[in-house]
Amino acid sequence: MTVLDASAVLALVHDEPGADLVATHVTGGTLGTANLAEVMGNSLTPTSTLPAFVNYSRRPGW
């Protein structure tokens, strides 16, 4: 099991350096509540939605 940090997920979301490495660990990875809150807090704007997070949260076994 891989535990993901908010900075790693944000690199993936924003296609920053290292995103390709993070992408290899997302499947089967875990993101704690505090890190998820940080990712969402840094990604949301008043008019945005995060369908990718909805899809991940609905995966079987999550």
Side-chain angles (χ1 to χ4, degrees), residues 17-40:
D20 54 339
L21 179 61
V22 176
T24 64
H25 295 284
V26 168
T27 301
T30 300
L31 185 65
T33 305
N35 284 310
L36 177 60
E38 184 177 344
V39 169
M40 293 181 73

Side-chain angles (χ1 to χ4, degrees), residues 36-56:
L36 177 60
E38 184 177 344
V39 169
M40 293 181 73
N42 282 294
S43 300
L44 290 175
T45 64
T47 59
S48 68
T49 60
L50 294 175
F53 289 114
V54 172
N55 289 337
Y56 281 125

